[in-house]
Amino acid sequence: MNNNQGGGAAGAGGGNNNNNNNNNNNNNNPLAAMENVLTQCLSTDKQQRSMAAAAVEQQFGSQPLQIVVSLIQVLAQSRNMQARHLAAVLLRKRLPVGEQTLIESFDDNSRKQILQQLLQCVINEQNNMMKRQIADCAAEVANVMLHKNKWPEFLPFVAQCCNHSTPDMRKIGFFIFGKLSVAVLEQHMNAIRSLYVQGLADKALNVRIAAVGAVAQMLSELLDIELVQQFQPQLPTMLDILKQAIGSGQYADALSIINGMCDIAADYAVFFRPRLEQIGDMLRRVAVSPDMPDDLRRSCMEFFCVVSQSSEGMVRKTPTFYQHALVVALTLMMDVQVDSEWPNTVDDPDGLQEETNYDCGELALDRLALSLGGRIIMPVLGPMLQKFFARQEWKCHYVALMAVAQVGEFLPLSKLPLDRILQSADHQNMYVRYASVHCIGQLSTDFAPQLQSGYTDAVVPVLMRRLSDKVPRIQSHSGAALFNFAEHATAQQMHKYTPALLQSMMQLLQHGVLIVKSQMITTIAVFSACCTEQFTAIYDQMMGVVKNIIANATSKEHQTLRARSVEAATFIGMSVGSDLFRKDAADIMRLFLDIMNNQKLAEDDITLQYINHAWSRICGVLGAEFVPVLQHIMPRVLETAGRPIKMRYDADPSGMSQSLHFDQQLFTAGMEEKMSACSMLLNFAHDLRGHFIDWVVPTMKVMLPLVDYHLHDDVKAFAISIMPDLVHSAVLGVKNGRAQANLVTQVYREAVMALITAMKKEVVPETLLSYVQAVKQSIVYAGQHSVQSLTAAHLDAITETMLFLLQKSNARVAQREEEKLSPDFDEIQSEKLEMANNVEDDQIYYVADCVGTLIKTHGRAFLPSFDKLVPQLLKLLAQSSTKMSRKFAVFVFDDLVEYLKEASVQYFSRFLPALIQYTVDVKNPDLRQASAYGLGVCAQFCQQGFARFAQRSAANLLQCITMPKARDPENASATDNALAALGKLCVYSAQSLGNNAAMVCSQWLANLPMLQDPTEGPATYNLLLDAVSKQHPVILGPNNANVPRILSVCLEELHRYNPNSEYGLIDADARNKMVRFVVQIGNAPANARQQIVSKLSPDHRQAFDKMMQSFNQQNKNNNNNNNNNS
């Protein structure tokens, strides 16, 4: 970068700017004409402003060079400051824009002159604000031009500015550097670093501040951590400049520096590691000072939070830093705003409210706790809160209570100051009482159901007293806290309080102030679910009140009450069930339809939004009875769900250039409606199933494009979830004769292909689980329709997508392993990493389940696609792969054998050696379980192909069931599956075991009974007893040597048999077979019976005798009854 080149460019521009301008009042003068148009563009007269803007637009379209030259002339020569500002804005918005930018569309000579003049304007400008605007314009143009290796004079010009003799020019040079893209700066990093170091040491504070801003901007955008670290030696200087800015009262500049530090910290918090304690102390001093500007104080808090979120391990190893952060958060929370309207109002969660210091501190507590972990911050925060509680000032109590509500979830329930919280509900100050109620309500959710189980008698009476508080806001909030508590309580826990509570709340609903009524109706509704039996006593009264409100509370101030009544009516319907609700449902639906079709509601009225959710609940209660209503609501729901979110074109701040501005309020309202409609469609399809058949196609048309919707996660989630339900509806519609089979093909194929296409673009692991599960469930619902609907190409596409997901998952796991090498890696990060990897494990399981479903459904037709999966499966099966990856590969192979049987033998040589090895993997019981199961199905279904693997399999399975701690709970499932597999080997593959067959069978029987597997237990015992009934020689053993052991196993299982248990190890069939076997032994000849029974243990002999006595007595009673009947 040659600093001397800039002078020539600036000089050339200066020559072109010295045009004659002796007659500014002459209307024919281009300068005067341009000034006039720009002035009109800023007129307060809308028509005049629109006409002027149209004229400018027309000239940009027809004479772009002429208007650009005129605008440059305005910048250089006009005395009209407003016109000059607008000229700079227009040039910045127009010159660098377009596929071929406007500046590039000019001929070389014109372009060069314009660029030279622009730089000369920067030099000549005396007004600092105007100079920044022109410099900003030049930087925007440079970002485009330099990226295309054009405008070589620009960077030397900026360097010349940074070396200029006047501070203002040096400052503007660093300002320009701060506006340049990092892609441009990286090409000249060494020269720019030298300039930045020079700027940080400049004798003028304003220049040093500008240099800090340029450094911060660049570091926040760099992608190479090594380049960032190269600037770390300048950190002490940057901090000194911040300190000087604060000390000299240049708070706006200090704010800009701290915001820049936040930008750096978002990606590179480790940049601040060497001075983290110093920074924490400096920012704490600023943030706790009430004399400092609020935005500066909040910016300090933001830095603490961003660093903690970006590099939590580093912060956890710097206790003084997070201690300072907690002090700042609590200090900001102490700035509680007292408002005369507060007692009679409630916060609007959707309202646009200006952030206060209190809000900033409260949110910061939550952010710090989530990033650093409760076990880190609570030992520091706890003593701070105790001191707050000990002080007399009500604000201290308020802040302490609200802080507990915010981060109490990170403590064990036993460590919470519950007595203090409950006592504060009777405090003389209304804010403290409110905070106590708020804290109780939050803890009722955070610690459910433990709080309800142990503290109902302590909590509920407190909230009941506060229902009678003189402050309406506290009454309302007490109702909200009761809602949270009752939502997770049982009827038994609330039983003795429910009648009085319902009476009090009904009284408040009918006679309380409006904000109290709006909460009571919601809280009463939750009691209909929690205490349904007691609630039925007031059902008719409550529904009468609710219907009256829905019908008559039409004023604006009653909007919330009416909307919540809509919600309450349908929640109550869900709680009491269709039999009781049916008589009121018709009235309520008529009211809803009247509101939708005949009442003109205000734009901000939330009633329709609540009605939309209410339809879903009514549908869930009434089921098929709801179908006739669909014709009245589905057209509107479909239209809303499919409607694009409104974006409107607003004029930019200059009044010129129509450009797209994102209207957040408009977006939120439209998205809420869209999300609500999509939720309704999902609920209708899920609850009505086959009855939804008439709406499957129009719903598919609307929801299919939304499976990769990027503007709102919930909309996308609803679209993903509805796909299997639409397939199911189509299948049931065909089954019931209401649709043709080709409908299933159409819906199913479109759903599956859309899902697998969308999931390739998804980056959130949790969302990927939804996609995979939706594909799998769609296949399950389609059943044999899947075979008819999916071609080989479709199966290949699904398989390739599953492969893609596995590869991405493995990459994420590998990246997390690299994180362990960080010097800041600690136990808490290890736990978070493990949680993230658990999500990957879930994804792998879902993929395995999906592939297994394809194998089960499509059979051998899936094998060509499966072959493409095999190389990746073998990689996952390798010892070097993760435990879950290996288990995934085993699961898939197990399904292949179970469903394809002999067709799977071709894969045995590549998969079975690993399965045999993993049956003795001591560290991974889940992997042992899956591997053992696989060997069992091989023995059962593929005797011939499995023969050469039988001996090794039996040896390892025996080792599996006899290894130390094999029968401990954590190993029980693996042991059960190994026992089941050994049983299958003995029954189906005994011949392949050769001379070892008797020994293997004897060892198998010796290690019975099964331990806990409710699936393999009954299957194994049925297999054993069927083999006994068929006189299987290996099972019975030489000379029936195994019969005593088989009898012992039967007696033991019959002793612990529980017919009411869902998880028993024998089912009714196995039990009957065992009983028949025992009785058969009991009825055997005396010598044979004695020979068998003598080998039983004393306990088993006693059980045998007792059972035979019971059996003989029963037979005797039956015979007596038969004789009496005769």
Side-chain angles (χ1 to χ4, degrees), residues 556-576:
K556 183 175 178 60
E557 59 268 22
H558 287 88
Q559 180 189 122
T560 300
L561 176 63
R562 190 189 202 191
R564 290 191 175 182
S565 298
V566 167
E567 180 181 62
T570 49
F571 268 124
I572 291 170
M574 290 176 63
S575 301
V576 302

Side-chain angles (χ1 to χ4, degrees), residues 65 116 196 256 294 446 522 546 718 748 953 957 1029:
L65 179 58
Q116 288 173 341
Y196 283 1
S256 178
D294 287 341
D446 292 341
T522 300
V546 168
F718 293 144
Y748 172 61
S953 298
L957 288 169
S1029 67

Side-chain angles (χ1 to χ4, degrees), residues 843-862:
Q843 181 181 314
I844 290 174
Y845 172 79
Y846 279 26
V847 170
D849 198 24
C850 186
V851 172
T853 303
L854 283 169
I855 292 170
K856 179 180 180 180
T857 305
H858 288 262
R860 298 189 181 198
F862 182 65

Side-chain angles (χ1 to χ4, degrees), residues 401-583:
L401 289 165
M402 297 301 279
V404 172
Q406 194 75 353
V407 299
E409 62 184 298
F410 296 100
L411 276 176
L413 180 59
S414 60
K415 297 292 185 181
L416 289 174
L418 276 177
D419 288 343
R420 176 81 71 171
I421 294 168
L422 295 171
Q423 290 167 9
S424 298
D426 295 315
H427 197 278
Q428 62 183 1
N429 183 276
M430 63 181 175
Y431 286 92
V432 177
R433 297 200 303 277
Y434 174 87
S436 170
V437 169
H438 176 78
C439 191
I440 294 169
Q442 186 61 51
L443 298 180
S444 296
T445 298
D446 292 341
F447 289 94
Q450 300 97 308
L451 186 71
Q452 286 80 350
S453 297
Y455 298 91
T456 296
D457 291 336
V459 171
V460 175
V462 168
L463 295 178
M464 290 178 71
R465 287 199 302 274
R466 294 282 61 82
L467 284 176
S468 302
D469 200 285
K470 295 180 180 179
V471 177
R473 187 184 186 115
I474 297 175
Q475 286 183 296
S476 174
H477 215 52
S478 299
L482 272 170
F483 178 99
N484 289 1
F485 192 90
E487 189 175 25
H488 304 284
T490 65
Q492 183 178 2
Q493 289 163 354
M494 298 296 295
H495 186 270
K496 66 180 179 182
Y497 300 109
T498 298
L501 276 170
L502 289 175
Q503 182 180 359
S504 297
M505 290 189 291
M506 285 297 295
Q507 186 75 12
L508 289 170
L509 175 59
Q510 293 173 302
H511 305 292
V513 300
L514 190 56
I515 62 170
V516 177
K517 288 182 176 182
S518 296
Q519 181 58 57
M520 289 308 115
I521 200 160
T522 300
T523 306
I524 292 171
V526 83
F527 272 79
S528 71
C530 167
C531 309
T532 307
E533 186 175 340
Q534 290 173 293
F535 176 82
T536 54
I538 67 161
Y539 171 82
D540 289 332
Q541 180 189 4
M542 179 64 180
M543 289 304 289
V545 172
V546 168
K547 288 191 288 187
N548 182 57
I549 293 173
I550 296 173
N552 300 309
T554 57
S555 64
K556 183 175 178 60
E557 59 268 22
H558 287 88
Q559 180 189 122
T560 300
L561 176 63
R562 190 189 202 191
R564 290 191 175 182
S565 298
V566 167
E567 180 181 62
T570 49
F571 268 124
I572 291 170
M574 290 176 63
S575 301
V576 302
S578 59
D579 289 344
L580 186 55
F581 180 59
R582 185 178 287 108
K583 63 182 181 182

Side-chain angles (χ1 to χ4, degrees), residues 140-157:
E140 287 290 325
V141 175
N143 277 325
V144 174
M145 301 294 285
L146 294 175
H147 185 67
K148 300 179 180 180
N149 296 318
K150 298 177 181 180
W151 205 5
E153 300 87 0
F154 182 78
L155 287 177
F157 165 80

Side-chain angles (χ1 to χ4, degrees), residues 697-872:
V697 172
T699 302
M700 190 75 176
K701 184 178 180 180
V702 168
M703 297 297 279
L704 194 68
L706 302 179
V707 295
D708 62 350
Y709 195 68
H710 66 281
L711 292 178
H712 201 285
D713 289 341
D714 285 343
V715 170
K716 176 164 63 176
F718 293 144
I720 294 169
S721 299
I722 201 174
M723 292 299 127
D725 288 321
L726 292 177
V727 172
H728 197 196
S729 294
V731 170
L732 293 176
V734 171
K735 182 179 179 181
N736 296 331
R738 297 184 58 193
Q740 299 298 316
N742 62 352
L743 176 64
V744 177
T745 299
Q746 174 193 341
V747 172
Y748 172 61
R749 185 183 291 171
E750 289 180 358
V752 169
M753 299 315 294
L755 290 168
I756 66 169
T757 300
M759 72 175 73
K760 286 186 176 180
K761 296 180 279 186
E762 183 58 54
V763 295
V764 179
E766 289 84 357
T767 306
L768 283 170
L769 299 182
S770 301
Y771 278 118
V772 179
Q773 183 66 5
V775 171
K776 180 253 182 176
Q777 196 59 51
S778 296
I779 299 169
V780 170
Y781 283 148
Q784 283 304 303
H785 290 283
S786 180
V787 178
Q788 301 157 12
S789 302
L790 299 185
T791 65
H794 293 129
L795 294 176
D796 282 349
I798 298 172
T799 305
E800 288 165 5
T801 302
M802 297 300 124
L803 268 174
F804 174 81
L805 297 184
L806 292 175
Q807 292 162 353
K808 287 290 185 181
S809 176
N810 287 340
R812 288 191 295 268
V813 171
Q815 183 178 0
R816 294 189 191 107
E817 288 300 311
E818 291 180 7
E819 293 175 14
K820 294 180 179 179
L821 303 177
S822 167
D824 298 319
F825 191 78
D826 60 12
E827 182 182 356
I828 294 177
Q829 279 180 293
S830 178
E831 292 173 1
K832 290 184 177 181
L833 186 149
E834 184 177 355
M835 290 174 62
N837 282 343
N838 287 340
V839 176
E840 303 294 349
D841 289 348
D842 289 341
Q843 181 181 314
I844 290 174
Y845 172 79
Y846 279 26
V847 170
D849 198 24
C850 186
V851 172
T853 303
L854 283 169
I855 292 170
K856 179 180 180 180
T857 305
H858 288 262
R860 298 189 181 198
F862 182 65
L863 285 181
S865 298
F866 180 79
D867 287 337
K868 298 176 182 179
L869 193 61
V870 168
Q872 182 66 20

